[in-house]
Structures are given as structure tokens and as C-alpha cells.
Amino acid sequence: MATQTLFAALQRRPFLSASFSALAASVAYASYTEEKAEYKETCYYQINTNSSIRNSFQRFIFDTSSTTAPPPKLPRNYDRDEIEAYWSSRPRTVIERLINILIELTPLLGAYVFDFKLKEKQNEISDGTNKTILQREHAIALREALTRLG
């Protein structure tokens, strides 16, 4: 029964189904890539801190050339290539951060558009002091949102 309902929904909305499938595949790939980067980083540091583990890992799991190169770390100084190498192996973290930013800033953008574009067209904000007060409130809200985002 549930399978028939699912197939019926797929037939009625193929574009939506394809979109969800692509989204699920993208999330799965991002998770896989990030887990792989974290695993390599963990193994690298375990291998380099314990010599008995190093010998067994090098013989059985890793080839020795891959263990000598450290995984990309977030650099302390600006280096475009190192930053790109670090974040390209962590797509899930990048996507989560972008979603957090959107969740935090979208309501502020909506309030700004409503207050300064829609109300202005309706001539509800004709007084200059009201506009200044609204601008100050929006600036305070934006500052607090950016502080929460870090």
C-alpha cells in the first residue's frame, strides 16, 4: 500500500522527485567527503603519535607515501590554496554554515523589505524621524544577528 502510494506520487511529480533525489545524493556525498577527511585526519595524528600503531597502519592499511603528507589544516595566516584545500574537504560544514547564515539573516531582510519598500509605497513612512528610528532598529537587529553568527 505504501509502495503504491509512493510510486503514484513519483509519477504525478517527477520533477519534484528528481529534485529530492538530487538533494539527497548531494547531502550524502557531502557527508561522505567530510567523514573521509575527518577519518584521514584522525588516522594521521594517531599514526604520528604512536610508533607501534604507525608501523601496523603503514604496513596493512596505508601506503607510506600517503601517511607522510599531513591532511590539510585550517591555516593561521591567509593562504588561499591552504584555505581552499581545507574547506573543499568539508562541504557539509560549509553547507551547514550557509544555512545558519540564511536562517539568521532572512527574517531581517524580510523586515527591511517590508518596512522600507512596501510601507514606503503605501506612504506609511512619510515622517523622517520614523524612518530614522526604523533604520536604527534594523541596524541594531543586524548587529545582534552578526554577533550571534560570529
Side-chain angles (χ1 to χ4, degrees):
M1 176 74 177
T3 308
Q4 291 174 348
T5 306
L6 179 64
F7 284 131
L10 288 173
Q11 289 176 349
R12 283 186 305 232
R13 296 177 185 92
F15 183 73
L16 184 64
S17 302
S19 299
F20 279 126
S21 297
L23 179 64
S26 299
V27 169
Y29 177 74
S31 295
Y32 168 74
T33 304
E34 189 151 344
E35 291 296 324
K36 187 170 82 171
E38 289 173 2
Y39 177 74
K40 282 182 179 180
E41 189 173 321
T42 302
C43 288
Y44 176 80
Y45 291 117
Q46 284 179 353
I47 288 170
N48 287 331
T49 56
N50 190 340
S51 62
S52 62
I53 293 176
R54 180 183 321 143
N55 294 335
S56 62
F57 267 113
Q58 284 180 348
R59 275 186 283 142
F60 296 112
I61 297 177
F62 297 107
D63 91 29
T64 55
S65 63
S66 67
T67 58
T68 58
K73 292 189 333 185
L74 190 59
R76 296 281 184 184
N77 299 322
Y78 181 78
D79 183 1
R80 181 182 176 160
D81 295 331
E82 288 183 24
I83 292 171
E84 183 180 353
Y86 180 82
W87 289 112
S88 65
S89 63
R90 288 159 177 80
R92 187 180 64 205
T93 304
V94 173
I95 292 169
E96 288 173 1
R97 181 67 175 158
L98 288 174
I99 289 171
N100 287 339
I101 291 169
L102 286 174
I103 288 171
E104 193 69 41
L105 296 181
T106 301
L108 296 175
L109 180 65
Y112 176 81
V113 168
F114 180 76
D115 287 342
F116 291 106
K117 302 300 178 189
L118 298 177
K119 280 187 178 179
E120 217 170 64
K121 287 183 179 178
Q122 297 171 356
N123 294 327
E124 292 181 20
I125 306 177
S126 58
D127 189 10
T129 57
N130 286 342
K131 195 170 189 175
T132 305
I133 292 170
L134 273 176
Q135 286 175 343
R136 183 168 288 137
E137 289 174 358
H138 282 284
I140 291 169
L142 179 62
R143 183 187 65 214
E144 290 171 354
L146 291 175
T147 302
R148 281 190 301 271
L149 285 171

